[in-house]
Amino acid sequence: MTRKQKRLAIIAGGMSFILAAVLLVMFAFSQSVAYFYMPADLAKNPVPPGTRIRLGGLVGAGSVVRGAGSTVQFAVTDATGELVRVRYTGILPDLFREGQGVVTEGRFEAGSQVFTADTVLAKHDETYMPKEVADKLKAQGLWNEGGAVQ
């Protein structure tokens, strides 16, 4: 092999290595993506069972039901009046309560209309609401600039 051929072989090997690393990173990120939905979005376009999503909105008034152990069921709703029943087993955030903004992450199980959440994020102070939820509420005309839901 000449010096030119050796140099080309090293460059080709390096490029192959970089391409393989980029493809592996892209594959890893695609496996951890969770798309954001509100109840109205799910009513229009249901997601296939087992698909990991983020569900956001407001905790429905009078919907929190505590079950056995640390299991809690509640409804997430939005301005359209659509609601999605959520089941969560675990410790809820301290500021979780009815009428507050919430983002849950999980999936619908096959043959069930109940969203099984494995993560629940709640509003943590008087001015914070997750950006995705605030943007959707603004689009629906339910959010004022003072940070409160109308």
Side-chain angles (χ1 to χ4, degrees), residues 32-81:
S32 65
V33 171
Y35 295 101
F36 181 80
Y37 293 91
M38 288 190 73
D41 300 333
L42 292 173
K44 292 177 191 170
N45 301 314
V47 297
T51 303
R52 186 165 184 77
I53 65 168
R54 285 187 177 155
L55 170 66
L58 302 173
V59 178
S63 68
V64 178
V65 177
R66 301 201 182 267
S70 60
T71 300
V72 179
Q73 292 192 21
F74 58 94
V76 174
T77 188
D78 61 8
T80 63

Side-chain angles (χ1 to χ4, degrees), residues 1-2 5 19 24 59-60 74 91-92 101 112 119 129 138:
M1 252 181 161
T2 65
Q5 290 173 334
L19 179 64
L24 285 172
V59 178
F74 58 94
I91 298 172
L92 289 169
S112 174
T119 304
M129 181 172 288
K138 283 179 187 176

Side-chain angles (χ1 to χ4, degrees), residues 3-20:
R3 286 179 62 168
K4 187 175 183 179
Q5 290 173 334
K6 287 180 184 179
R7 195 173 340 164
L8 285 175
I10 290 172
I11 290 172
M15 294 298 284
S16 303
F17 179 76
I18 290 171
L19 179 64

